[in-house]
Amino acid sequence: MAVNLKGRSFLTLMDFTPEEIRYMLDLAHDLKAKKRAGIHNEVLKGKNVVLLFEKTSTRTRCAFEVACLDEGAHVTFLDSKSSQMGKKESLEDTAKVLGRFYDGIEYRGYEQSVVEELAKYAGVPVWNGLTDVDHPTQILADLLTIEEHVSKPLNKVKVVFCGDIRNNMSYAWMYGCAKLGMHFVAYGPEALADEMDKSIIEKVNAVAKETGAKIEISSTPDCLKGADVLYTDVWASMGEEAEIPERVKLLTPYKVTMEMVEQTENPDVIFLHCLPSFHDFETTMAKTQKEEGYDIREVTDEVFRSRHSKVFDEAENRMHTIKAVIVATIA
């Protein structure tokens, strides 16, 4: 059956069928091959896109801008200091204004309700660049990377997310794995498992019943056996310094180490990370915390720089998959 996503917003993978997600991945593979061959069809020529950033980013901003420019679109970047959204102008009014100027709107920030409200009133596609409970463009990039480096179909792949299993990447992975019939394990402390959003767990398990996916939550290392992908994310972001002592104590047993890699019993297991990562002490935050007695590295430098790590292929794939989403919805 033909897939047509023209005019659709991209707020969460839960809004899409497995066939539609497959279409976006296939399109990303094709657009990546064309870029490497120097082919730019400028299918977005004459289109205008605005990027709304309430939360800073390197990869998301660069990926959206390059994706648009590659295909001929014009881009406007607005951060919280250069927009009246939510301050002197309501979300509804902002959405209606931007929808008159632009063909598509990207939002990166905090509450999922914000990106949903923008989509409700804009009248043009809205794309989720990250919220507190989801990161769908990242998952598309991760899936593309898996298809490039794991020699089995996605519905035979086992992904183990290690660490803070309550965060947006863990939930986003649940959505992606549930939709595509994959095996997902959230591997973290029991205390955090108890704090996970029960409504999300119910939703993904309902989808899993239809697709054959397997969604598990575990606090014991035996869940690592047979993993094709080990995934993690930072334990604390800027602004969360006060929580670091507790996070380090709780999550250090779930740090991705070479011992953990070996526990998968899979010599070809790959390591992925949405980045940025604390894998050494070459950042101000990691260095400062080390001086205070806290090792905030969620993965060792040995693993990060090993043959198992595909994090920079993954980072590049943010741009290719974001380009696919934009092309599919506004070209």
Side-chain angles (χ1 to χ4, degrees), residues 40 42-51 61-76 104 106 127 319 322-324 326-327 330:
H40 299 289
E42 295 200 324
V43 295
L44 299 177
K45 188 173 183 179
K47 302 291 185 180
N48 293 288
V49 168
V50 63
L51 310 180
R61 178 178 178 179
C62 294
F64 267 97
E65 290 194 357
V66 173
C68 289
L69 295 171
D70 271 355
E71 297 301 330
H74 299 283
V75 181
T76 301
E106 180 272 352
W127 309 299
M319 187 268 293
I322 282 170
K323 185 188 292 185
I326 298 171
V327 168
I330 71 169

PDB file of all heavy atoms in Angstrom, residues 40 42-51 61-76 104 106 127 319 322-324 326-327 330:
ATOM      1  N   HIS A  40      21.679  16.451  -5.222  1.00  0.00           N
ATOM      2  CA  HIS A  40      20.731  17.252  -4.457  1.00  0.00           C
ATOM      3  C   HIS A  40      19.613  17.671  -5.405  1.00  0.00           C
ATOM      4  O   HIS A  40      19.824  18.483  -6.305  1.00  0.00           O
ATOM      5  CB  HIS A  40      21.407  18.485  -3.844  1.00  0.00           C
ATOM      6  CG  HIS A  40      22.508  18.157  -2.886  1.00  0.00           C
ATOM      7  ND1 HIS A  40      22.273  17.614  -1.649  1.00  0.00           N
ATOM      8  CD2 HIS A  40      23.853  18.266  -3.002  1.00  0.00           C
ATOM      9  CE1 HIS A  40      23.424  17.421  -1.022  1.00  0.00           C
ATOM     10  NE2 HIS A  40      24.401  17.807  -1.830  1.00  0.00           N
ATOM     11  N   GLU A  42      16.931  19.259  -4.577  1.00  0.00           N
ATOM     12  CA  GLU A  42      16.279  20.482  -4.096  1.00  0.00           C
ATOM     13  C   GLU A  42      14.754  20.346  -4.091  1.00  0.00           C
ATOM     14  O   GLU A  42      14.023  21.198  -4.581  1.00  0.00           O
ATOM     15  CB  GLU A  42      16.717  21.691  -4.920  1.00  0.00           C
ATOM     16  CG  GLU A  42      18.196  22.014  -4.761  1.00  0.00           C
ATOM     17  CD  GLU A  42      18.538  23.435  -5.165  1.00  0.00           C
ATOM     18  OE1 GLU A  42      17.923  23.944  -6.124  1.00  0.00           O
ATOM     19  OE2 GLU A  42      19.411  24.030  -4.516  1.00  0.00           O
ATOM     20  N   VAL A  43      14.292  19.245  -3.513  1.00  0.00           N
ATOM     21  CA  VAL A  43      12.847  18.992  -3.474  1.00  0.00           C
ATOM     22  C   VAL A  43      12.123  19.930  -2.508  1.00  0.00           C
ATOM     23  O   VAL A  43      10.892  19.988  -2.502  1.00  0.00           O
ATOM     24  CB  VAL A  43      12.557  17.521  -3.081  1.00  0.00           C
ATOM     25  CG1 VAL A  43      13.080  16.571  -4.140  1.00  0.00           C
ATOM     26  CG2 VAL A  43      13.151  17.189  -1.712  1.00  0.00           C
ATOM     27  N   LEU A  44      12.897  20.691  -1.704  1.00  0.00           N
ATOM     28  CA  LEU A  44      12.288  21.643  -0.780  1.00  0.00           C
ATOM     29  C   LEU A  44      12.478  23.091  -1.250  1.00  0.00           C
ATOM     30  O   LEU A  44      12.262  24.035  -0.486  1.00  0.00           O
ATOM     31  CB  LEU A  44      12.888  21.486   0.620  1.00  0.00           C
ATOM     32  CG  LEU A  44      12.703  20.120   1.296  1.00  0.00           C
ATOM     33  CD1 LEU A  44      13.411  20.097   2.640  1.00  0.00           C
ATOM     34  CD2 LEU A  44      11.224  19.790   1.463  1.00  0.00           C
ATOM     35  N   LYS A  45      12.864  23.276  -2.501  1.00  0.00           N
ATOM     36  CA  LYS A  45      13.090  24.623  -3.031  1.00  0.00           C
ATOM     37  C   LYS A  45      11.811  25.457  -2.899  1.00  0.00           C
ATOM     38  O   LYS A  45      10.724  25.021  -3.250  1.00  0.00           O
ATOM     39  CB  LYS A  45      13.511  24.552  -4.495  1.00  0.00           C
ATOM     40  CG  LYS A  45      13.957  25.887  -5.068  1.00  0.00           C
ATOM     41  CD  LYS A  45      14.512  25.730  -6.466  1.00  0.00           C
ATOM     42  CE  LYS A  45      15.022  27.066  -7.002  1.00  0.00           C
ATOM     43  NZ  LYS A  45      15.597  26.938  -8.365  1.00  0.00           N
ATOM     44  N   GLY A  46      11.973  26.658  -2.352  1.00  0.00           N
ATOM     45  CA  GLY A  46      10.825  27.536  -2.161  1.00  0.00           C
ATOM     46  C   GLY A  46      10.112  27.335  -0.842  1.00  0.00           C
ATOM     47  O   GLY A  46       9.177  28.075  -0.517  1.00  0.00           O
ATOM     48  N   LYS A  47      10.537  26.343  -0.052  1.00  0.00           N
ATOM     49  CA  LYS A  47       9.920  26.071   1.247  1.00  0.00           C
ATOM     50  C   LYS A  47      10.642  26.863   2.346  1.00  0.00           C
ATOM     51  O   LYS A  47      11.851  27.123   2.260  1.00  0.00           O
ATOM     52  CB  LYS A  47       9.973  24.579   1.580  1.00  0.00           C
ATOM     53  CG  LYS A  47       9.290  23.678   0.561  1.00  0.00           C
ATOM     54  CD  LYS A  47       7.789  23.844   0.562  1.00  0.00           C
ATOM     55  CE  LYS A  47       7.136  22.834  -0.375  1.00  0.00           C
ATOM     56  NZ  LYS A  47       5.654  22.984  -0.389  1.00  0.00           N
ATOM     57  N   ASN A  48       9.909  27.212   3.372  1.00  0.00           N
ATOM     58  CA  ASN A  48      10.463  27.925   4.523  1.00  0.00           C
ATOM     59  C   ASN A  48      10.175  27.150   5.799  1.00  0.00           C
ATOM     60  O   ASN A  48       9.039  26.711   6.025  1.00  0.00           O
ATOM     61  CB  ASN A  48       9.868  29.325   4.617  1.00  0.00           C
ATOM     62  CG  ASN A  48      10.290  30.206   3.460  1.00  0.00           C
ATOM     63  OD1 ASN A  48      11.440  30.624   3.374  1.00  0.00           O
ATOM     64  ND2 ASN A  48       9.365  30.481   2.547  1.00  0.00           N
ATOM     65  N   VAL A  49      11.197  26.994   6.626  1.00  0.00           N
ATOM     66  CA  VAL A  49      11.095  26.208   7.859  1.00  0.00           C
ATOM     67  C   VAL A  49      11.587  27.055   9.031  1.00  0.00           C
ATOM     68  O   VAL A  49      12.594  27.769   8.917  1.00  0.00           O
ATOM     69  CB  VAL A  49      11.945  24.919   7.750  1.00  0.00           C
ATOM     70  CG1 VAL A  49      12.100  24.245   9.098  1.00  0.00           C
ATOM     71  CG2 VAL A  49      11.336  23.967   6.730  1.00  0.00           C
ATOM     72  N   VAL A  50      10.886  26.989  10.158  1.00  0.00           N
ATOM     73  CA  VAL A  50      11.331  27.681  11.361  1.00  0.00           C
ATOM     74  C   VAL A  50      11.659  26.668  12.446  1.00  0.00           C
ATOM     75  O   VAL A  50      10.949  25.670  12.628  1.00  0.00           O
ATOM     76  CB  VAL A  50      10.270  28.698  11.860  1.00  0.00           C
ATOM     77  CG1 VAL A  50       8.971  28.014  12.261  1.00  0.00           C
ATOM     78  CG2 VAL A  50      10.820  29.522  13.018  1.00  0.00           C
ATOM     79  N   LEU A  51      12.750  26.917  13.146  1.00  0.00           N
ATOM     80  CA  LEU A  51      13.194  26.053  14.234  1.00  0.00           C
ATOM     81  C   LEU A  51      13.012  26.794  15.552  1.00  0.00           C
ATOM     82  O   LEU A  51      13.612  27.856  15.768  1.00  0.00           O
ATOM     83  CB  LEU A  51      14.676  25.684  14.061  1.00  0.00           C
ATOM     84  CG  LEU A  51      15.115  25.160  12.691  1.00  0.00           C
ATOM     85  CD1 LEU A  51      16.614  24.850  12.709  1.00  0.00           C
ATOM     86  CD2 LEU A  51      14.315  23.935  12.291  1.00  0.00           C
ATOM     87  N   ARG A  61      19.939  21.121  15.968  1.00  0.00           N
ATOM     88  CA  ARG A  61      19.926  22.341  15.162  1.00  0.00           C
ATOM     89  C   ARG A  61      20.686  22.151  13.854  1.00  0.00           C
ATOM     90  O   ARG A  61      20.178  22.475  12.772  1.00  0.00           O
ATOM     91  CB  ARG A  61      20.533  23.508  15.944  1.00  0.00           C
ATOM     92  CG  ARG A  61      20.576  24.779  15.097  1.00  0.00           C
ATOM     93  CD  ARG A  61      21.129  25.977  15.836  1.00  0.00           C
ATOM     94  NE  ARG A  61      21.177  27.129  14.944  1.00  0.00           N
ATOM     95  CZ  ARG A  61      21.597  28.340  15.324  1.00  0.00           C
ATOM     96  NH1 ARG A  61      21.996  28.553  16.557  1.00  0.00           N
ATOM     97  NH2 ARG A  61      21.615  29.333  14.445  1.00  0.00           N
ATOM     98  N   CYS A  62      21.899  21.638  13.936  1.00  0.00           N
ATOM     99  CA  CYS A  62      22.707  21.461  12.725  1.00  0.00           C
ATOM    100  C   CYS A  62      22.050  20.486  11.750  1.00  0.00           C
ATOM    101  O   CYS A  62      22.062  20.704  10.532  1.00  0.00           O
ATOM    102  CB  CYS A  62      24.102  20.976  13.097  1.00  0.00           C
ATOM    103  SG  CYS A  62      25.064  22.195  14.023  1.00  0.00           S
ATOM    104  N   ALA A  63      21.461  19.411  12.286  1.00  0.00           N
ATOM    105  CA  ALA A  63      20.827  18.412  11.426  1.00  0.00           C
ATOM    106  C   ALA A  63      19.646  19.012  10.671  1.00  0.00           C
ATOM    107  O   ALA A  63      19.494  18.802   9.459  1.00  0.00           O
ATOM    108  CB  ALA A  63      20.366  17.215  12.260  1.00  0.00           C
ATOM    109  N   PHE A  64      18.803  19.763  11.364  1.00  0.00           N
ATOM    110  CA  PHE A  64      17.657  20.382  10.704  1.00  0.00           C
ATOM    111  C   PHE A  64      18.104  21.423   9.678  1.00  0.00           C
ATOM    112  O   PHE A  64      17.573  21.490   8.565  1.00  0.00           O
ATOM    113  CB  PHE A  64      16.721  21.027  11.736  1.00  0.00           C
ATOM    114  CG  PHE A  64      15.615  20.117  12.198  1.00  0.00           C
ATOM    115  CD1 PHE A  64      15.735  19.400  13.382  1.00  0.00           C
ATOM    116  CD2 PHE A  64      14.455  19.976  11.449  1.00  0.00           C
ATOM    117  CE1 PHE A  64      14.716  18.557  13.812  1.00  0.00           C
ATOM    118  CE2 PHE A  64      13.432  19.126  11.868  1.00  0.00           C
ATOM    119  CZ  PHE A  64      13.553  18.417  13.056  1.00  0.00           C
ATOM    120  N   GLU A  65      19.087  22.242  10.043  1.00  0.00           N
ATOM    121  CA  GLU A  65      19.522  23.287   9.123  1.00  0.00           C
ATOM    122  C   GLU A  65      20.165  22.706   7.868  1.00  0.00           C
ATOM    123  O   GLU A  65      19.841  23.112   6.746  1.00  0.00           O
ATOM    124  CB  GLU A  65      20.484  24.248   9.834  1.00  0.00           C
ATOM    125  CG  GLU A  65      19.790  25.107  10.886  1.00  0.00           C
ATOM    126  CD  GLU A  65      20.638  26.277  11.356  1.00  0.00           C
ATOM    127  OE1 GLU A  65      21.795  26.404  10.904  1.00  0.00           O
ATOM    128  OE2 GLU A  65      20.139  27.079  12.164  1.00  0.00           O
ATOM    129  N   VAL A  66      21.070  21.749   8.037  1.00  0.00           N
ATOM    130  CA  VAL A  66      21.734  21.156   6.878  1.00  0.00           C
ATOM    131  C   VAL A  66      20.738  20.377   6.019  1.00  0.00           C
ATOM    132  O   VAL A  66      20.772  20.443   4.788  1.00  0.00           O
ATOM    133  CB  VAL A  66      22.908  20.253   7.312  1.00  0.00           C
ATOM    134  CG1 VAL A  66      23.489  19.503   6.114  1.00  0.00           C
ATOM    135  CG2 VAL A  66      23.991  21.086   7.984  1.00  0.00           C
ATOM    136  N   ALA A  67      19.830  19.654   6.666  1.00  0.00           N
ATOM    137  CA  ALA A  67      18.813  18.894   5.929  1.00  0.00           C
ATOM    138  C   ALA A  67      17.994  19.823   5.035  1.00  0.00           C
ATOM    139  O   ALA A  67      17.736  19.518   3.861  1.00  0.00           O
ATOM    140  CB  ALA A  67      17.906  18.146   6.895  1.00  0.00           C
ATOM    141  N   CYS A  68      17.576  20.946   5.594  1.00  0.00           N
ATOM    142  CA  CYS A  68      16.776  21.907   4.822  1.00  0.00           C
ATOM    143  C   CYS A  68      17.594  22.537   3.699  1.00  0.00           C
ATOM    144  O   CYS A  68      17.144  22.611   2.539  1.00  0.00           O
ATOM    145  CB  CYS A  68      16.246  23.001   5.734  1.00  0.00           C
ATOM    146  SG  CYS A  68      14.948  22.463   6.873  1.00  0.00           S
ATOM    147  N   LEU A  69      18.798  22.988   4.018  1.00  0.00           N
ATOM    148  CA  LEU A  69      19.631  23.668   3.033  1.00  0.00           C
ATOM    149  C   LEU A  69      20.034  22.734   1.895  1.00  0.00           C
ATOM    150  O   LEU A  69      20.103  23.148   0.730  1.00  0.00           O
ATOM    151  CB  LEU A  69      20.868  24.265   3.708  1.00  0.00           C
ATOM    152  CG  LEU A  69      20.578  25.386   4.721  1.00  0.00           C
ATOM    153  CD1 LEU A  69      21.832  25.749   5.494  1.00  0.00           C
ATOM    154  CD2 LEU A  69      20.011  26.610   4.017  1.00  0.00           C
ATOM    155  N   ASP A  70      20.303  21.471   2.220  1.00  0.00           N
ATOM    156  CA  ASP A  70      20.647  20.486   1.184  1.00  0.00           C
ATOM    157  C   ASP A  70      19.577  20.401   0.105  1.00  0.00           C
ATOM    158  O   ASP A  70      19.883  20.202  -1.071  1.00  0.00           O
ATOM    159  CB  ASP A  70      20.808  19.090   1.807  1.00  0.00           C
ATOM    160  CG  ASP A  70      22.215  18.818   2.286  1.00  0.00           C
ATOM    161  OD1 ASP A  70      23.095  19.666   2.061  1.00  0.00           O
ATOM    162  OD2 ASP A  70      22.430  17.749   2.893  1.00  0.00           O
ATOM    163  N   GLU A  71      18.323  20.523   0.526  1.00  0.00           N
ATOM    164  CA  GLU A  71      17.219  20.339  -0.416  1.00  0.00           C
ATOM    165  C   GLU A  71      16.553  21.657  -0.825  1.00  0.00           C
ATOM    166  O   GLU A  71      15.465  21.666  -1.386  1.00  0.00           O
ATOM    167  CB  GLU A  71      16.178  19.385   0.181  1.00  0.00           C
ATOM    168  CG  GLU A  71      16.708  17.983   0.440  1.00  0.00           C
ATOM    169  CD  GLU A  71      17.229  17.281  -0.816  1.00  0.00           C
ATOM    170  OE1 GLU A  71      16.697  17.577  -1.908  1.00  0.00           O
ATOM    171  OE2 GLU A  71      18.160  16.459  -0.697  1.00  0.00           O
ATOM    172  N   GLY A  72      17.249  22.773  -0.558  1.00  0.00           N
ATOM    173  CA  GLY A  72      16.806  24.044  -1.105  1.00  0.00           C
ATOM    174  C   GLY A  72      15.876  24.877  -0.252  1.00  0.00           C
ATOM    175  O   GLY A  72      15.390  25.922  -0.698  1.00  0.00           O
ATOM    176  N   ALA A  73      15.591  24.462   0.998  1.00  0.00           N
ATOM    177  CA  ALA A  73      14.679  25.224   1.856  1.00  0.00           C
ATOM    178  C   ALA A  73      15.425  26.347   2.586  1.00  0.00           C
ATOM    179  O   ALA A  73      16.643  26.306   2.753  1.00  0.00           O
ATOM    180  CB  ALA A  73      14.010  24.303   2.870  1.00  0.00           C
ATOM    181  N   HIS A  74      14.676  27.343   3.014  1.00  0.00           N
ATOM    182  CA  HIS A  74      15.214  28.432   3.825  1.00  0.00           C
ATOM    183  C   HIS A  74      14.863  28.157   5.288  1.00  0.00           C
ATOM    184  O   HIS A  74      13.797  27.628   5.590  1.00  0.00           O
ATOM    185  CB  HIS A  74      14.620  29.769   3.386  1.00  0.00           C
ATOM    186  CG  HIS A  74      14.923  30.122   1.973  1.00  0.00           C
ATOM    187  ND1 HIS A  74      16.139  30.602   1.565  1.00  0.00           N
ATOM    188  CD2 HIS A  74      14.147  30.054   0.860  1.00  0.00           C
ATOM    189  CE1 HIS A  74      16.115  30.822   0.254  1.00  0.00           C
ATOM    190  NE2 HIS A  74      14.918  30.482  -0.197  1.00  0.00           N
ATOM    191  N   VAL A  75      15.770  28.548   6.200  1.00  0.00           N
ATOM    192  CA  VAL A  75      15.590  28.232   7.617  1.00  0.00           C
ATOM    193  C   VAL A  75      15.687  29.493   8.480  1.00  0.00           C
ATOM    194  O   VAL A  75      16.577  30.323   8.278  1.00  0.00           O
ATOM    195  CB  VAL A  75      16.661  27.225   8.101  1.00  0.00           C
ATOM    196  CG1 VAL A  75      16.442  26.877   9.565  1.00  0.00           C
ATOM    197  CG2 VAL A  75      16.646  25.973   7.252  1.00  0.00           C
ATOM    198  N   THR A  76      14.783  29.610   9.449  1.00  0.00           N
ATOM    199  CA  THR A  76      14.848  30.645  10.477  1.00  0.00           C
ATOM    200  C   THR A  76      15.012  29.951  11.827  1.00  0.00           C
ATOM    201  O   THR A  76      14.281  29.008  12.131  1.00  0.00           O
ATOM    202  CB  THR A  76      13.556  31.487  10.516  1.00  0.00           C
ATOM    203  OG1 THR A  76      13.358  32.106   9.247  1.00  0.00           O
ATOM    204  CG2 THR A  76      13.646  32.559  11.597  1.00  0.00           C
ATOM    205  N   GLY A 104       6.770  24.506   7.561  1.00  0.00           N
ATOM    206  CA  GLY A 104       6.971  23.516   8.619  1.00  0.00           C
ATOM    207  C   GLY A 104       7.616  24.147   9.834  1.00  0.00           C
ATOM    208  O   GLY A 104       8.356  25.136   9.708  1.00  0.00           O
ATOM    209  N   GLU A 106       9.703  23.230  13.526  1.00  0.00           N
ATOM    210  CA  GLU A 106      10.351  22.290  14.448  1.00  0.00           C
ATOM    211  C   GLU A 106      10.341  22.890  15.839  1.00  0.00           C
ATOM    212  O   GLU A 106      10.526  24.096  16.012  1.00  0.00           O
ATOM    213  CB  GLU A 106      11.797  22.026  14.022  1.00  0.00           C
ATOM    214  CG  GLU A 106      12.551  21.043  14.929  1.00  0.00           C
ATOM    215  CD  GLU A 106      13.249  21.702  16.115  1.00  0.00           C
ATOM    216  OE1 GLU A 106      13.286  22.972  16.168  1.00  0.00           O
ATOM    217  OE2 GLU A 106      13.742  20.987  16.993  1.00  0.00           O
ATOM    218  N   TRP A 127       7.344  19.329  13.794  1.00  0.00           N
ATOM    219  CA  TRP A 127       8.249  18.202  14.051  1.00  0.00           C
ATOM    220  C   TRP A 127       8.834  18.304  15.456  1.00  0.00           C
ATOM    221  O   TRP A 127       9.291  19.363  15.872  1.00  0.00           O
ATOM    222  CB  TRP A 127       9.382  18.194  13.025  1.00  0.00           C
ATOM    223  CG  TRP A 127       8.896  18.282  11.604  1.00  0.00           C
ATOM    224  CD1 TRP A 127       8.076  17.403  10.950  1.00  0.00           C
ATOM    225  CD2 TRP A 127       9.192  19.327  10.669  1.00  0.00           C
ATOM    226  NE1 TRP A 127       7.857  17.823   9.655  1.00  0.00           N
ATOM    227  CE2 TRP A 127       8.521  18.997   9.450  1.00  0.00           C
ATOM    228  CE3 TRP A 127       9.947  20.491  10.712  1.00  0.00           C
ATOM    229  CZ2 TRP A 127       8.595  19.804   8.320  1.00  0.00           C
ATOM    230  CZ3 TRP A 127      10.028  21.293   9.590  1.00  0.00           C
ATOM    231  CH2 TRP A 127       9.363  20.949   8.410  1.00  0.00           C
ATOM    232  N   MET A 319      20.893  13.824  10.712  1.00  0.00           N
ATOM    233  CA  MET A 319      20.596  14.716   9.587  1.00  0.00           C
ATOM    234  C   MET A 319      19.842  13.984   8.478  1.00  0.00           C
ATOM    235  O   MET A 319      18.877  14.507   7.911  1.00  0.00           O
ATOM    236  CB  MET A 319      21.899  15.311   9.046  1.00  0.00           C
ATOM    237  CG  MET A 319      21.696  16.379   7.983  1.00  0.00           C
ATOM    238  SD  MET A 319      21.715  15.678   6.325  1.00  0.00           S
ATOM    239  CE  MET A 319      23.426  15.165   6.225  1.00  0.00           C
ATOM    240  N   ILE A 322      16.213  13.193   9.712  1.00  0.00           N
ATOM    241  CA  ILE A 322      15.444  14.437   9.813  1.00  0.00           C
ATOM    242  C   ILE A 322      15.086  14.937   8.416  1.00  0.00           C
ATOM    243  O   ILE A 322      13.967  15.400   8.165  1.00  0.00           O
ATOM    244  CB  ILE A 322      16.236  15.492  10.611  1.00  0.00           C
ATOM    245  CG1 ILE A 322      16.130  15.180  12.114  1.00  0.00           C
ATOM    246  CG2 ILE A 322      15.745  16.907  10.313  1.00  0.00           C
ATOM    247  CD1 ILE A 322      17.045  15.992  12.996  1.00  0.00           C
ATOM    248  N   LYS A 323      16.029  14.825   7.502  1.00  0.00           N
ATOM    249  CA  LYS A 323      15.743  15.218   6.118  1.00  0.00           C
ATOM    250  C   LYS A 323      14.598  14.390   5.550  1.00  0.00           C
ATOM    251  O   LYS A 323      13.699  14.915   4.868  1.00  0.00           O
ATOM    252  CB  LYS A 323      16.988  15.052   5.239  1.00  0.00           C
ATOM    253  CG  LYS A 323      16.805  15.564   3.817  1.00  0.00           C
ATOM    254  CD  LYS A 323      17.985  15.220   2.910  1.00  0.00           C
ATOM    255  CE  LYS A 323      19.222  15.953   3.302  1.00  0.00           C
ATOM    256  NZ  LYS A 323      20.342  15.714   2.342  1.00  0.00           N
ATOM    257  N   ALA A 324      14.605  13.114   5.872  1.00  0.00           N
ATOM    258  CA  ALA A 324      13.530  12.233   5.374  1.00  0.00           C
ATOM    259  C   ALA A 324      12.176  12.663   5.926  1.00  0.00           C
ATOM    260  O   ALA A 324      11.171  12.682   5.200  1.00  0.00           O
ATOM    261  CB  ALA A 324      13.824  10.778   5.767  1.00  0.00           C
ATOM    262  N   ILE A 326      11.272  15.681   6.953  1.00  0.00           N
ATOM    263  CA  ILE A 326      10.878  16.957   6.346  1.00  0.00           C
ATOM    264  C   ILE A 326      10.391  16.753   4.919  1.00  0.00           C
ATOM    265  O   ILE A 326       9.332  17.269   4.517  1.00  0.00           O
ATOM    266  CB  ILE A 326      12.062  17.960   6.373  1.00  0.00           C
ATOM    267  CG1 ILE A 326      12.472  18.267   7.808  1.00  0.00           C
ATOM    268  CG2 ILE A 326      11.681  19.250   5.648  1.00  0.00           C
ATOM    269  CD1 ILE A 326      13.754  19.076   7.915  1.00  0.00           C
ATOM    270  N   VAL A 327      11.167  16.005   4.136  1.00  0.00           N
ATOM    271  CA  VAL A 327      10.793  15.754   2.739  1.00  0.00           C
ATOM    272  C   VAL A 327       9.450  15.026   2.663  1.00  0.00           C
ATOM    273  O   VAL A 327       8.584  15.367   1.852  1.00  0.00           O
ATOM    274  CB  VAL A 327      11.897  14.940   2.028  1.00  0.00           C
ATOM    275  CG1 VAL A 327      11.418  14.423   0.672  1.00  0.00           C
ATOM    276  CG2 VAL A 327      13.143  15.811   1.833  1.00  0.00           C
ATOM    277  N   ILE A 330       6.543  17.770   3.839  1.00  0.00           N
ATOM    278  CA  ILE A 330       6.262  19.069   3.197  1.00  0.00           C
ATOM    279  C   ILE A 330       6.703  19.186   1.745  1.00  0.00           C
ATOM    280  O   ILE A 330       6.391  20.186   1.096  1.00  0.00           O
ATOM    281  CB  ILE A 330       6.851  20.256   3.997  1.00  0.00           C
ATOM    282  CG1 ILE A 330       8.378  20.295   3.893  1.00  0.00           C
ATOM    283  CG2 ILE A 330       6.361  20.246   5.428  1.00  0.00           C
ATOM    284  CD1 ILE A 330       8.982  21.589   4.445  1.00  0.00           C
TER     285      ILE A 330
END
